Amino acid sequence: VQLQASGGGLVQAGGSLRLSCEASGHTFSLDTLAWFRQGIGLEREFVAALRGGGRSTHYGYPVRGRFAMSRDNVKNIVYLQMNSLKPEDTAVYYCAAGSGYSERETSYDYWGQGTQVTVSS
């Protein structure tokens, strides 16, 4: 399984960005696709996860109500729509895939390369 993340960039506080993560390879074994992020000097943090082809979604507390995760099952792409961005959302965002839902990064077997999101105040 290969994951390719894209869509990061520089945005002002209050703005929006949409990240994409394209999955390829043996994706049929994947139940959960997720986003994590890591700011400078910080631990990697759970952002959102989408289970079972879109049956359910889960969000980390800091992003609830502002971020939304969705999936295009035909294209094997998941999206992270980020609205009302704050400077504290600045981080490298990683997509991950695994066989079950978890908010722990160690539960995911596959990782994308990361995409930088910078929110200016």
Side-chain angles (χ1 to χ4, degrees):
V1 175
Q2 294 81 43
L3 302 174
Q4 180 71 38
S6 62
L10 173 64
V11 64
Q12 289 187 332
S16 299
L17 278 176
R18 188 177 78 161
L19 305 183
S20 301
C21 178
E22 182 174 4
S24 60
H26 296 286
T27 59
F28 58 86
S29 64
L30 303 176
D31 174 78
T32 301
L33 291 163
W35 290 95
F36 287 77
R37 68 185 182 185
Q38 188 168 20
I40 295 175
L42 301 176
E43 294 184 351
R44 195 168 295 188
E45 175 186 40
F46 171 78
V47 176
L50 189 149
R51 303 180 61 186
R55 284 199 314 269
S56 63
T57 52
H58 305 267
Y59 298 95
Y61 179 77
V63 307
R64 286 175 194 169
R66 300 187 297 124
F67 291 13
M69 192 171 175
S70 60
R71 178 172 181 168
D72 183 327
N73 288 322
V74 174
K75 297 180 180 179
N76 268 345
I77 298 176
V78 291
Y79 301 100
L80 183 68
Q81 178 66 43
M82 307 185 294
N83 300 322
S84 302
L85 282 161
K86 305 175 182 180
E88 51 264 44
D89 294 319
T90 295
V92 177
Y93 283 70
Y94 299 90
C95 59
S99 57
Y101 167 69
S102 172
E103 296 187 9
R104 299 188 306 174
E105 60 177 301
T106 53
S107 298
Y108 292 87
D109 301 313
Y110 306 100
W111 291 83
Q113 83 286 5
T115 184
Q116 176 72 45
V117 172
T118 303
V119 184
S120 63
S121 58

